[in-house]
Amino acid sequence: MSPAEIAIGVIIGRTSEFFDFFVYAIASVLVFPALFFPFVDALTGTLWSFAIFSLAFIARPFGSLVFMAIDRAYGRGTKLTIALFMLGGSTAAIAFLPSYTDAGMTSIWLLALLRLGQGFALGGTWDGLASLLALNAPEDKRGWYAMIPQLGAPFGLIVASLLFAYMVASLSAADFLDWGWRYPFFVAFAINVVALFARLRIVVTSEFEHLFRTRDLQPVSVSSTIRTEWRTIVIGAFAPLASFALFHMVTVFPLSWVYLFTRETPTSFLLIEAVAAAFGVVAVVASGRLADAFGRRRLLGACAVGIAVFSGFAPQLLDAGTVGEIVFMVVGFVLLGLAFGQSSGVVASGFATEHRYTGSAFTSDLSWLLGAGFAPLAALLLSVNFGLIASGAYLLSGALATLIALWLNTELAGRK
């Protein structure tokens, strides 16, 4: 099987995962506050919605712990099948939830449970293909191969944004809140099934089982990995924090601010988001070239500085009309693409060979939890209490964490 076929499988898999999460994220702003929290004002409902949003990131490391045991006992194919059906099933089940008006607090508890199910399942979707791509990359093209899996994020956002934009524009507000919002959650399940077969076609072949074994991409005990690799895990979790903090600051948070506090229509902003994500695709691709030319560590350090500067003025652009929103989104996605495009390479670097597979998965979980899990909630709370400029503090903290982690990561510095 050619590297191009592996790359396609990786991109399809990642796109399906991010599509599930972006469908939920968009609904967290446009649907859930009105449907599940009608007893409070729109702002408070959105804050509660974002609190439930964060549950998936808390559940994800526990999912990795359980699914690594399944991987060791029954194999990678079994693990992926269970995880992706659980992810797609949890997402699709949200489409059947009753509203608060119909079921009271039970509807909120069910939403929280299914969100935990999404996060738990995502912990089992780690297939090692991204690491395999990086390990088989030529010395001078490691950055290029590292960026391929990251394309799934902007692709997933583009599809989710356009689908919601179409539903919002095509339906009345009443029909959208009644049944229209549910359609993207059904689509998520179908995409997961396609992604599952695309990935199983690769990972269950004897050829790839041999590659996984020879490259030491085998699951081992999470506890032993933490015990022996705790320093690498901590550094690896903080190194990509700038990009992970920016991730939801240019995807979920701006949609909430625009929807709550401006006259911009959801359809218009979702289209702006899709176009900005297309710029993000270009930036992710460019990150591969730049990392190979100048070094991953230099690129990530420069991006962290850029994100720190961006945090000082950019949030206010969301209150500057359509032009300000476009500038915020495009510049934010370019910075995100350049940084996020190489974040997987940072997560995987530095592990002993026997702990590479498990360590990379667990470190990625922690990075998402620390950097992205609470970003929409924190940014919205800071903005409504201290002004939009205060939301930049969250970004700034992520940028500083990345710079400190890169300075400490002597292994990465030695390689680049």
Side-chain angles (χ1 to χ4, degrees):
M1 192 171 289
S2 69
E5 289 179 293
I6 305 174
I8 291 171
V10 170
I11 293 171
I12 291 174
R14 291 297 181 87
T15 300
S16 72
E17 294 166 14
F18 280 109
F19 177 80
D20 281 32
F21 264 57
F22 281 127
V23 163
Y24 187 97
I26 294 170
S28 292
V29 176
L30 302 184
V31 179
F32 297 160
L35 211 65
F36 298 107
F37 305 100
F39 50 89
V40 294
D41 60 87
L43 171 61
T44 305
T46 304
L47 290 170
W48 278 112
S49 184
F50 281 167
I52 294 177
F53 175 85
S54 67
L55 292 179
F57 298 91
I58 297 172
R60 185 170 171 171
F62 297 99
S64 287
L65 186 67
V66 172
F67 279 106
M68 282 295 171
I70 294 174
D71 197 339
R72 294 196 301 273
Y74 302 104
R76 205 166 318 223
T78 301
K79 180 190 80 166
L80 280 177
T81 301
I82 296 172
L84 285 174
F85 268 101
M86 185 177 181
L87 177 59
S90 297
T91 305
I94 293 171
F96 295 97
L97 287 179
S99 67
Y100 180 86
T101 304
D102 295 325
M105 287 298 295
T106 301
S107 64
I108 298 175
W109 287 112
L110 287 173
L111 178 65
L113 179 64
L114 292 173
R115 183 58 176 168
L116 285 168
Q118 281 188 313
F120 191 86
L122 196 64
T125 59
W126 188 268
D127 54 18
L129 287 175
S131 297
L132 189 63
L133 270 176
L135 289 170
N136 285 282
E139 184 71 28
D140 60 343
K141 290 188 176 180
R142 284 180 176 169
W144 178 258
Y145 280 84
M147 70 82 188
I148 291 174
Q150 309 304 85
L151 289 169
F155 284 151
L157 178 60
I158 290 170
V159 177
S161 296
L162 292 178
L163 185 55
F164 265 101
Y166 174 77
M167 300 305 293
V168 172
S170 302
L171 301 172
S172 66
D175 283 343
F176 175 73
L177 281 177
D178 183 30
W179 59 268
W181 69 271
R182 303 175 190 271
Y183 179 73
F185 287 85
F186 294 131
V187 173
F189 185 79
I191 291 177
N192 269 294
V193 172
V194 173
L196 172 61
F197 284 106
R199 292 161 85 169
L200 288 180
R201 179 173 173 265
I202 299 173
V203 300
V204 301
T205 62
S206 56
E207 174 189 358
F208 275 87
E209 283 296 334
H210 174 70
L211 283 172
F212 284 130
R213 283 195 302 271
T214 56
R215 287 296 193 172
D216 286 312
L217 291 174
Q218 296 297 314
V220 296
S221 167
V222 173
S223 59
S224 67
T225 300
I226 294 173
R227 209 165 37 244
T228 58
E229 301 278 1
W230 65 268
R231 181 180 179 276
T232 305
I233 289 172
V234 171
I235 293 175
F238 280 93
L241 223 58
S243 61
F244 283 19
L246 182 60
F247 192 90
H248 284 148
M249 287 291 290
V250 295
T251 56
V252 186
F253 165 68
L255 178 62
S256 69
W257 183 267
V258 168
Y259 186 63
L260 289 169
F261 300 112
T262 76
R263 296 182 179 181
E264 187 78 48
T265 65
T267 303
S268 298
F269 191 78
L270 286 169
L271 292 176
I272 291 172
E273 198 165 58
V275 171
F279 280 87
V281 172
V282 176
V284 170
V285 174
S287 76
R289 298 296 188 193
L290 292 171
D292 288 331
F294 301 104
R296 184 184 297 144
R297 184 173 181 268
R298 289 192 185 94
L299 175 61
L300 289 170
C303 287
V305 172
I307 291 170
V309 173
F310 183 73
S311 71
F313 70 89
Q316 299 91 293
L317 292 171
L318 289 175
D319 258 349
T322 303
V323 174
E325 293 168 9
I326 292 172
V327 172
F328 172 85
M329 294 298 289
V330 170
V331 174
F333 264 99
V334 169
L335 281 171
L336 176 63
L338 291 174
F340 185 68
Q342 296 302 308
S343 64
S344 66
V346 177
V347 168
S349 65
F351 287 106
T353 53
E354 66 271 21
H355 295 293
R356 184 182 290 126
Y357 180 80
T358 302
S360 295
F362 196 69
T363 304
S364 178
D365 294 343
L366 293 180
S367 295
W368 281 110
L369 174 61
L370 296 172
F374 300 97
L377 179 63
L380 189 56
L381 273 173
L382 287 169
S383 296
V384 297
N385 285 292
F386 305 105
L388 266 171
I389 193 170
S391 65
Y394 193 92
L395 270 182
L396 181 61
S397 66
L400 293 175
T402 289
L403 290 171
I404 292 170
L406 289 176
W407 177 68
L408 291 173
N409 194 349
T410 53
E411 191 279 335
L412 184 59
R415 288 179 59 186
K416 288 291 187 181

